[in-house]
Amino acid sequence: MEVIGGPSSFLYGAGAVGGTINYVTRLARLDRDEAAVQASWGSFRDGTLAMGANLRIGGDEARQAVRVDASARDGGSWIDGQECEASTLAASWLVQLAPTLRHTLAVEVQQEDSHRPYWGTPVRQPATGRLSVLPETVGRNYNVADGYYGQDVRWARSLLEWTPGEHDTVRNTVYHYDALRDYRNVESYRLTAGNDGVIRSGTLLQRHDQQVYGNRLEWSHDGTLFGLPTQWATGLDVSYNRQTRFPLSLSATVDTVPLDAVTPGRFLDVPGTAIVYTPDRTNRLHTQALYVENLTELTPSLSLLTGVRRDRIVLDVVNHRAVTPTNPARFEREYTPTTGRAALTWSITPQASVYAQYSTAADPPAGILSTANFATLRDFDLTTGRQGEIGTKLQTRDGRSFATLAAYRIVRRNLAITDPANPGQTLPVGQQSSRGIEAAFGWHPLEALSVEGNLAWVDATLDDFYENVGGVPVSRAGNRPTNTPSRVGNLWLDYTFTPRWSAGIDLRGVSSRYANAANTLSTAGYATWGAHVGFRWNDRTELTVRGRNLGDRTHVVYALGSTMAYLGDPRSWEVVLRKTF
């Protein structure tokens, strides 16, 4: 998992402001053979076994290589009745067809079954000021006994790479993604007025059947532009995304169960439910994207990065339900956004640099277009955004310390948020903005001691937003968006006692967050800490014992309106054994 801060690189086809997470799968390679196995066991019977190996066919002169990675998890939970089983198998085959041409075939299969998943804990009523939960409800699961979430995913890729010269590389990737996801749960809980029972609602049976077909062609070139060293990267991405949803949603109250309920009923006990998958709509999304990025060294210490991306997105939605004025038999929308960015970097010294950048973006207004409905698209165009950022990066000559500091401002227009009174619907937001400062540092005061940390401060604001309160629109302009902390900080300390033994502690702090757009309800901030001890048997074998939330702090990770909160894990431990070959 690669976290890309700031505006995402256009090379990954993600032009959104703020950042992105890039999922990278290991692939076969020709430079070495390797193998590794990792086993872990922790609190609540949570165990994982993973192994992987890369094997060259033909030794050091090999022209082929095969890699296989597999993992399996069987885990319980601190939440009553919640269990998860998951497995992943990834395989790739690399063939060097010619000195300048190679091909990789990669396939990945994922299977996950989560039994009686946890959706949140009801908060004390009446909900006023700071939200809190009853001690009797912590760790309780008010989902039905046969609640379920599962997914079955297949992902295949054909990667062809051609290097016609030392300055050029051409890559072509043909890909196919196939996923089937199922939900069967009662997901909404509210305490009674006397806080002596749990009122359950939000019954949902849903299936997502999704297929994606695509081809991405990329070209990178190192050369000169007006005599200046420059790098070019351009690409064309064409894809077809088809998804059919099969929802059965019942918003009515199911029942009221006691606080200590262990297995409160089954899904089919709810009136109106049935294990029948009736299609609602099919979203067909055709996308063509052309993107170009250039990095030019204006001087030995000054470089300019520019990028532009042009998309053509055609969404065709077929309604499988009854036709109404708000749900037509078929509708189509076309979007043609053009986005870009520019960044200037000045290397003051080899150890110090400053930069400034500006970027724009266009994204779906709520969720993703492959699941959007007519009501959403009728009221919204694409969400547009812009981001300005300045920052600096510093490092000592000996490499023992580093620091980064960045200040930014982001403005997003025409976006949507979830309606807290109706989680299946969205509310339009005219504009939302944020400004913030992020800092990170690393310090090695001793050869055996390392200290690293980061701190983020953000001031986020709803600039243009009206909330329906009792049928009357009320402006929430100037308020902070829900579940947005103003401060987040992390600190890690690691000390190596001997070549074999090491230990460390980690600290995390999150400030309070508002639970509603009116900013009248909030969740408490929290601080947690953990520790680990590592033993290296030799260069290839390592054992680590890790503890999390050692203060056993009950804390809210995020609020779900005025009735529920999602709680973080309590004190837990884990033993991890890793061996390489």
Side-chain angles (χ1 to χ4, degrees):
M1 305 298 291
E2 177 187 21
V3 179
I4 305 173
S8 313
S9 172
F10 283 61
L11 300 179
Y12 295 105
V17 298
T20 191
I21 296 178
N22 187 32
Y23 177 76
V24 182
T25 303
R26 290 188 177 96
L27 295 173
R29 52 195 300 172
L30 291 173
D31 59 342
R32 67 175 183 269
D33 294 330
E34 62 180 6
V37 60
Q38 178 174 299
S40 66
W41 181 261
S43 301
F44 322 115
R45 296 187 305 101
D46 195 342
T48 301
L49 178 63
M51 58 189 69
N54 185 88
L55 176 63
R56 296 175 296 175
I57 303 174
D60 292 339
E61 303 300 324
R63 299 176 61 86
Q64 298 186 57
V66 175
R67 182 174 185 94
V68 177
D69 293 274
S71 68
R73 179 192 173 204
D74 186 357
S77 170
W78 71 283
I79 297 294
D80 175 44
Q82 178 175 248
E83 295 182 352
C84 180
E85 293 128 24
S87 61
T88 301
L89 176 64
S92 58
W93 174 31
L94 168 63
V95 180
Q96 189 77 45
L97 301 173
T100 61
L101 185 66
R102 61 170 54 189
H103 178 263
T104 302
L105 179 64
V107 178
E108 183 171 340
V109 179
Q110 301 175 10
Q111 176 70 45
E112 180 181 357
D113 294 292
S114 181
H115 304 282
R116 207 176 173 205
Y118 166 69
W119 298 103
T121 299
V123 300
R124 195 188 307 265
Q125 296 295 320
T128 58
R130 188 61 56 85
L131 298 181
S132 62
V133 298
L134 298 173
E136 303 95 309
T137 63
V138 175
R140 294 290 183 184
N141 192 342
Y142 298 105
N143 198 356
V144 288
D146 56 345
Y148 176 76
Y149 163 70
Q151 66 170 347
D152 191 350
V153 177
R154 305 288 186 271
W155 184 28
R157 291 173 293 161
S158 172
L159 303 94
L160 189 65
E161 182 175 317
W162 177 42
T163 52
E166 60 176 329
H167 300 296
D168 296 275
T169 302
V170 180
R171 300 180 181 87
N172 191 81
T173 304
V174 181
Y175 55 92
H176 172 55
Y177 174 89
D178 188 314
L180 187 67
R181 294 177 287 270
D182 282 311
Y183 303 80
R184 184 182 64 240
N185 303 282
V186 173
E187 302 178 1
S188 298
Y189 325 117
R190 183 178 77 255
L191 287 178
T192 60
N195 292 310
D196 54 2
V198 179
I199 303 170
R200 302 191 304 163
S201 59
T203 305
L204 176 67
L205 173 77
Q206 183 150 227
R207 167 169 287 181
H208 298 171
D209 186 0
Q210 182 180 17
Q211 298 86 37
V212 180
Y213 302 87
N215 187 89
R216 175 177 294 181
L217 177 63
E218 302 167 281
W219 170 64
S220 58
H221 171 74
D222 291 342
T224 59
L225 180 65
F226 303 116
L228 301 174
T230 188
Q231 299 176 30
W232 289 94
T234 185
L236 175 65
D237 197 343
V238 180
S239 65
Y240 169 68
N241 186 341
R242 178 184 184 276
Q243 182 166 177
T244 303
R245 293 161 63 89
F246 305 79
L248 172 62
S249 178
L250 305 173
S251 59
T253 297
V254 175
D255 56 16
T256 300
V257 297
L259 299 180
D260 60 353
V262 178
T263 54
R266 303 183 66 83
F267 184 82
L268 291 177
D269 293 339
V270 180
T273 58
I275 309 299
V276 176
Y277 297 101
T278 304
D280 176 33
R281 62 183 181 273
T282 298
N283 289 32
R284 293 188 286 241
L285 193 63
H286 301 264
T287 303
Q288 298 92 40
L290 177 65
Y291 45 96
V292 180
E293 199 168 63
N294 174 264
L295 176 63
T296 299
E297 296 181 17
L298 304 177
T299 71
S301 62
L302 188 66
S303 61
L304 174 65
L305 174 67
T306 55
V308 64
R309 178 182 173 93
R310 174 70 172 182
D311 289 86
R312 181 177 181 267
I313 306 169
V314 178
L315 175 63
D316 180 19
V317 181
V318 177
N319 174 24
H320 302 293
R321 300 291 179 96
V323 176
T324 67
T326 59
N327 199 19
R330 188 168 185 171
F331 64 92
E332 183 176 297
R333 289 291 302 268
E334 180 175 335
Y335 309 91
T336 55
T338 299
T339 55
R341 69 164 170 164
L344 196 63
T345 302
W346 178 30
S347 298
I348 304 172
T349 70
Q351 291 79 36
S353 64
V354 294
Y355 69 91
Q357 65 179 7
Y358 180 81
S359 64
T360 61
D363 306 299
I368 55 177
L369 290 177
S370 59
T371 61
N373 57 31
F374 177 71
T376 298
L377 298 178
R378 177 189 57 191
D379 298 330
F380 301 98
D381 201 344
L382 290 181
T383 297
T384 58
R386 63 181 188 271
Q387 175 174 345
E389 180 178 339
I390 58 174
T392 182
K393 297 181 180 181
L394 307 170
Q395 184 177 6
T396 57
R397 290 186 178 182
D398 58 9
R400 294 170 66 96
S401 303
F402 72 88
T404 64
L405 179 66
Y408 64 87
R409 176 171 170 77
I410 299 174
V411 178
R412 291 170 60 84
R413 295 181 58 85
N414 194 38
L415 64 153
I417 62 173
T418 301
D419 184 352
N422 191 349
Q425 301 297 322
T426 57
L427 299 174
V429 178
Q431 179 174 301
Q432 178 176 308
S433 64
S434 62
R435 56 179 179 171
I437 297 175
E438 296 182 356
F441 72 92
W443 180 36
H444 287 265
L446 303 172
E447 188 67 30
L449 177 64
S450 67
V451 183
E452 292 191 21
N454 56 55
L455 179 65
W457 170 84
V458 61
D459 179 18
T461 306
L462 294 165
D463 301 318
D464 181 11
F465 173 55
Y466 285 85
E467 186 177 23
N468 190 315
V469 180
V472 178
V474 177
S475 174
R476 301 303 188 192
N479 288 0
R480 175 179 287 271
T482 60
N483 290 306
T484 305
S486 60
R487 299 176 303 280
V488 177
N490 296 278
L491 183 67
W492 299 272
L493 288 85
D494 288 277
Y495 186 74
T496 302
F497 296 96
T498 69
R500 289 191 174 186
W501 288 95
S502 63
I505 61 174
D506 56 89
L507 309 171
R508 176 172 175 79
V510 178
S511 66
S512 63
R513 295 130 290 156
Y514 286 114
N516 61 350
N519 288 183
T520 58
L521 301 175
S522 64
T523 61
Y526 63 89
T528 60
W529 69 282
H532 69 271
V533 176
F535 174 70
R536 183 179 293 274
W537 181 264
N538 52 44
D539 290 341
R540 296 180 177 272
T541 307
E542 184 176 5
L543 181 70
T544 303
V545 179
R546 179 174 288 107
R548 299 185 176 91
N549 191 11
L550 295 180
D552 202 23
R553 175 74 179 272
T554 299
H555 58 287
V556 175
V557 177
Y558 58 88
L560 299 164
S562 61
T563 60
M564 292 171 57
Y566 195 95
L567 302 182
D569 292 348
R571 180 189 296 123
S572 61
W573 59 268
E574 179 185 41
V575 179
V576 180
L577 175 65
R578 179 176 175 82
K579 183 172 181 61
T580 59
F581 302 91

